[in-house]
Amino acid sequence: MATLKRTLGFWTSYATATGLVVAGTTMVSLGYSMGLTGPAFIIPAFLAMVISIVVSFSYAELSSILPGAGMIGDYTLAAMGRFMAIVAVLGGYIVLVSAAGAMESITAGLAAEMLSPAVDSTTVAIILLVFFLIVNLIGVDVFGSVQVLLTVTMMASTALMGLFALLGIGTVAEPHSVAFNPAGWGTVFQSLALGIWLYIGIEYICPMAEEVKNPSKTIPRAMIWGLVTIFIADMLFGQALTQFVPLDKLTTSATPQVDGGLAMFGKPGMIFIIIITILASSSSISSHLAAVPRMLYGLAREGMLPKGFAYIHPRFRTPWVGIIAVFLLLCIPFLLSISMDLIATLILSSCVTWLLSYLIAQANVIILRKKYPDMPRPFKTPLYPLPQVLGILGTLYAIITIHPETDMKIKIYSISGACLLVIVLYAFFWLKYKKLPLFTPLPIEHIRGEIDLETDEKLKASS
């Protein structure tokens, strides 16, 4: 069996795991959440971190037995069959790319526009998208060598800005007092999904399991430490935002993090946070264009998508059809009128469907434990099945309490429900058309064989 060279250590794995999470939309969502909830948002943010750690155990175990790029599609295929595999991938990741993922380029553009009236946000967004489209089409991994530096710099910069502002070091204004819980405890405990958005995507390290040194220890450590450091950095910066920017402005601004940088440290602070926002959005855009097409490739490989998505360019060894499809989805914001209300609605709508894929991942662990009890598992969830039960309950609670405002909740459920309905109908009719069973799991040995073929392709591309 061919195997990839294991070259990724802890820090590279840490940077990969947090590279998507530290995104421009996350910074916007953090400001919005702090404005909506006040400093008390630290409570749902902490609870969301605990739930995310529990969920990461399941992904670590699943990736240890099926370490392919298909990720949740492969896991679900072995546990529940083709229908649920389609729902898990398209619901969890295509809705994300179409909704919140598509906002990354606009977030970067809006931040850049604040530098000068001559800067056009749409132009900046298009340049970023086209640049990363080309990079991913030709398979140039130029950013891999600097991923650690980029991620750590973004995290440290955000944390230090918040810490210095809270301590009054270098600030240009005096902080104002704000109540810890101005909106009431009902709002606090209905903001768990907003907290989970700060960490969602930490599982993006799992498709690289075959290239990680000692993956059974490195991958869970990278995800857990990534979640903890994200919590620290976001809460330092978020608490500072509430002391320098009025809460109502945080909930209405499309760039609350930039407003915070300006209020705390003047124009230098604004320029610095704009740079951080653009880098964070760039990292997220590149991650989407690199990872999601591989998941689509995994579905097409098993007949669950049109075979064009399984096409690999003969020279560059990259899934061109999937990359171009994801690029087109990332262009959706150019058709919309952008506002903070729209950004928040799309973020939380994709959060609902992504949380559904998290529920499926927890169920996958339980099913595969029962179906293959003697299978060697390089990483086994500690205290099984307690983490899976807690993960399922926590994600269900987050979906039910997706937003404290009823009108917003209706919008979120309407968008996410419509997306899921389209996906379910597609899965049903496509599989019937292809005369493939809906709920018959594939033998795990078959899926492992397909992953081995993927490994061979990667080795040919790297040789």
Side-chain angles (χ1 to χ4, degrees):
M1 170 182 165
T3 58
L4 290 168
K5 185 177 181 181
R6 297 191 182 277
T7 58
L8 305 182
F10 170 76
W11 285 108
T12 309
S13 300
Y14 168 87
T16 303
T18 57
L20 175 70
V21 183
V22 183
T25 53
T26 303
M27 301 180 78
V28 173
S29 178
L30 173 64
Y32 174 83
S33 303
M34 284 291 177
L36 186 70
T37 311
F41 182 64
I42 193 172
I43 296 174
F46 178 80
L47 294 175
M49 179 193 69
V50 173
I51 292 172
S52 298
I53 289 174
V54 167
V55 170
S56 72
F57 288 153
S58 291
Y59 277 97
E61 176 169 328
L62 292 167
S63 70
S64 74
I65 58 176
L66 287 170
M71 201 174 63
I72 189 67
D74 287 344
Y75 313 154
T76 310
L77 197 56
M80 303 185 194
R82 291 179 172 87
F83 181 87
M84 292 304 295
I86 293 174
V87 172
V89 174
L90 300 189
Y93 296 90
I94 292 302
V95 175
L96 164 76
V97 168
S98 304
M103 301 307 301
E104 290 296 341
S105 58
I106 287 294
T107 299
L110 290 172
E113 194 174 51
M114 296 186 70
L115 288 174
S116 168
V119 176
D120 179 66
S121 62
T122 302
T123 302
V124 172
I126 292 173
I127 290 173
L128 282 175
L129 284 174
V130 172
F131 174 74
F132 285 110
L133 168 68
I134 295 171
V135 166
N136 281 277
L137 285 175
I138 64 177
V140 175
D141 195 22
V142 66
F143 295 100
S145 59
V146 298
Q147 185 65 34
V148 174
L149 179 62
L150 181 63
T151 302
V152 172
T153 298
M154 288 190 295
M155 300 257 306
S157 300
T158 304
L160 288 175
M161 283 189 72
L163 181 62
F164 286 177
L166 291 172
L167 296 176
I169 300 174
T171 54
V172 298
E174 290 295 322
H176 57 256
S177 60
V178 58
F180 179 71
N181 183 21
W185 288 109
T187 298
V188 171
F189 290 108
Q190 292 191 75
S191 301
L192 184 62
L194 288 167
I196 286 178
W197 186 258
L198 302 181
Y199 316 106
I200 209 161
I202 199 73
E203 74 278 5
Y204 263 47
I205 181 59
C206 293
M208 303 183 71
E210 288 185 292
E211 299 167 75
V212 175
K213 298 176 183 177
N214 196 5
S216 62
K217 292 184 178 179
T218 302
I219 287 178
R221 282 178 56 221
M223 289 193 287
I224 291 170
W225 281 107
L227 293 167
V228 171
T229 51
I230 288 168
F231 171 77
I232 294 171
D234 282 352
M235 288 306 100
L236 285 172
F237 188 72
Q239 295 295 321
L241 283 178
T242 63
Q243 295 189 23
F244 285 87
V245 182
L247 298 186
D248 59 344
K249 186 175 182 180
L250 290 175
T251 59
T252 56
S253 173
T255 53
Q257 77 282 14
V258 179
D259 296 333
L262 178 63
M264 297 174 199
F265 302 104
K267 191 169 183 179
M270 181 188 75
I271 293 173
F272 188 73
I273 202 67
I274 285 173
I275 294 172
I276 294 296
T277 300
I278 293 173
L279 290 176
S281 293
S282 298
S283 176
S284 183
I285 292 168
S286 185
S287 295
H288 288 313
L289 284 167
V292 176
R294 296 297 294 174
M295 298 182 200
L296 300 179
Y297 167 84
L299 290 182
R301 183 189 65 201
E302 299 295 343
M304 295 178 282
L305 281 177
K307 62 181 181 180
F309 286 96
Y311 169 76
I312 300 294
H313 191 278
R315 177 181 176 185
F316 300 115
R317 318 304 300 175
T318 52
W320 273 35
V321 175
I323 292 171
I324 292 171
V326 171
F327 168 79
L328 293 175
L329 291 175
L330 290 170
C331 291
I332 286 176
F334 306 127
L335 306 176
L336 306 173
S337 177
I338 304 300
S339 66
M340 186 59 235
D341 181 69
L342 177 63
I343 292 174
T345 303
L346 292 179
I347 283 175
L348 290 173
S349 298
S350 60
C351 190
V352 170
T353 58
W354 201 333
L355 286 171
L356 176 62
S357 73
Y358 278 13
L359 286 172
I360 293 172
Q362 312 304 302
N364 286 341
V365 173
I366 296 171
I367 293 170
L368 293 177
R369 282 279 189 121
K370 291 184 176 181
K371 190 173 181 180
Y372 300 97
D374 300 323
M375 174 180 291
R377 290 169 169 80
F379 176 84
K380 297 183 73 172
T381 303
L383 302 176
Y384 171 86
L386 181 59
Q388 281 68 41
V389 173
L390 292 176
I392 290 172
L393 293 176
T395 49
L396 282 174
Y397 179 80
I399 292 173
I400 294 169
T401 60
I402 191 68
H403 196 279
E405 297 175 4
T406 302
D407 290 343
M408 176 68 97
K409 190 178 291 187
I410 292 172
K411 289 182 185 178
I412 293 164
Y413 288 151
S414 299
I415 294 172
S416 58
C419 291
L420 285 173
L421 178 60
V422 171
I423 291 167
V424 165
L425 291 174
Y426 163 79
F428 178 81
F429 287 107
W430 177 261
L431 293 175
K432 286 294 184 182
Y433 167 71
K434 300 294 287 185
K435 297 181 179 179
L436 294 170
L438 275 68
F439 299 105
T440 303
L442 267 66
I444 204 165
E445 295 79 12
H446 170 82
I447 300 171
R448 281 178 164 175
E450 296 288 354
I451 292 172
D452 290 346
L453 292 177
E454 279 190 58
T455 300
D456 290 337
E457 291 292 333
K458 290 180 183 178
L459 287 169
K460 289 177 185 178
S462 61
S463 61

